[in-house]
């Protein structure tokens, strides 16, 4: 049994369809089917039941998949430890963030770290919709500005930034020139969302349920900021975002209006392990943010 097989198994479970799983893994569907059959033969149990829409885990499959997830997470941690040491020796600090990150704090912290550590190269790494914590666990970045809510289990973290939320509207929308709107003012508007993020993250951003107990009117999905804003500007739907996006993402056809009655975005600085470079960066962020140690 190989880690590759366990990753295949997890992807099939997540997608519920061999074709979609093959696409996310960048392998052919026949190759994935063959790998699944070999794994089932090796383990001596059927892991999935096939149906018209795809596949569903068997009782044995559910248990095996749960263990596979734990094993892969642990393997990623082992690789991440080695990667952090390797990067530390070569003088590189990789900083993850999403969209506008923690606003101006993100850029100021990177600049101050580069000034005080001239021998270290700072590499910004952008992720889409809740991918920062997973990047930390996979060893892709050393430290990250994480938009909450997020699963930070096993990571060191501290909240370093908060900012209000805004609604993105097409410029010809009746509310586009308003000084502010409430969540109920836009409750009937189709809302952009993503299938790429955990559902709890999606629901928080969508303010689901709304104050009256209703569910948002779900609009089209998107995989990244650019796809989201393109559809908002063309009038397909609206979106919710942190206020820093009103500065970092301006474009024709798009208006940003403050949301007056929803909780603000909280941004945590998070890391896995505590090398000297990470601790130095955290101290700079802490100082710039005015947050306690």
């Amino acid at each position: 049994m190989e880690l590759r097989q366990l990753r295949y198994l997890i992807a099939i479970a997540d997608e519920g369809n061999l074709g979609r799983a093959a696409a996310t893994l960048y392998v052919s569907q026949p190759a994935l089917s063959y790998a699944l059959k070999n794994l089932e033969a090796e383990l001596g149990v059927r892991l999935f039941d096939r149906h018209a829409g795809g596949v569903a885990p068997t009782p044995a499959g559910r248990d095996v998949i749960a263990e596979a997830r734990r094993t892969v997470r642990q393997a990623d941690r082992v690789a991440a430890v080695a990667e952090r040491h390797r990067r530390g020796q070569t003088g590189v600090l990789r900083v993850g963030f999403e969209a506008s990150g923690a606003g101006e704090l993100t850029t100021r912290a990177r600049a101050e770290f580069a000034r005080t550590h001239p021998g270290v190269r700072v590499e910004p790494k952008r992720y889409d919709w809740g991918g920062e914590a997973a990047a930390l666990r996979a060893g892709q970045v050393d430290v990250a500005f994480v938009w909450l809510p997020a699963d930070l289990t096993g990571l060191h973290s501290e909240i370093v930034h908060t900012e209000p939320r805004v609604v993105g509207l097409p410029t010809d929308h009746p509310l586009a020139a308003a000084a502010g709107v409430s969540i109920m003012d836009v409750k009937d508007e189709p809302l952009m969302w993503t299938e790429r993020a955990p559902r709890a993250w999606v629901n928080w951003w969508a303010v689901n349920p709304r104050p009256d107990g209703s569910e948002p009117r779900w609009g089209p999905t998107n995989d990244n900021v650019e796809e989201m804003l393109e559809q908002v500007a063309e009038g397909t739907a609206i979106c919710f975002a942190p206020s820093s996006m009103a500065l970092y993402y301006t474009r024709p056809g798009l208006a940003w209006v403050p949301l007056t009655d929803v909780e603000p975005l909280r941004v945590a600085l998070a890391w896995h392990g505590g090398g000297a470079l990470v601790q130095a960066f955290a101290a700079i962020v802490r100082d710039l943010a005015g947050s306690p140690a």
Side-chain angles (χ1 to χ4, degrees), residues 11-24:
I12 296 169
D14 288 344
E15 297 295 337
N17 179 282
L18 286 171
R20 290 195 299 267
T24 63

Side-chain angles (χ1 to χ4, degrees), residues 2 6 16 53 62 108 110-111 123 139 147 167-168 175 180 189 212 221 261 271 285 287:
E2 302 175 357
L6 299 185
R62 284 192 293 271
R108 290 172 61 208
R110 290 203 308 263
E123 294 183 352
W147 284 5
V167 56
L175 296 173
E189 300 282 351
D212 64 354
T221 61
D261 57 352
W271 61 92
V285 172
D287 181 60

Side-chain angles (χ1 to χ4, degrees), residues 35-81:
L36 175 59
K37 289 178 182 177
N38 280 349
L39 183 58
E40 288 180 323
E42 180 179 347
L43 296 176
V45 293
R46 191 176 73 258
L47 300 175
F48 292 95
D49 286 325
R50 281 68 171 172
H51 55 77
V55 296
T58 62
R62 284 192 293 271
D63 289 342
V64 170
I65 291 163
E67 290 298 328
R69 292 187 192 279
R70 284 190 282 269
T71 300
V72 168
R73 281 197 299 266
Q74 190 59 47
D76 287 341
R77 289 171 185 165
V78 170
V81 168

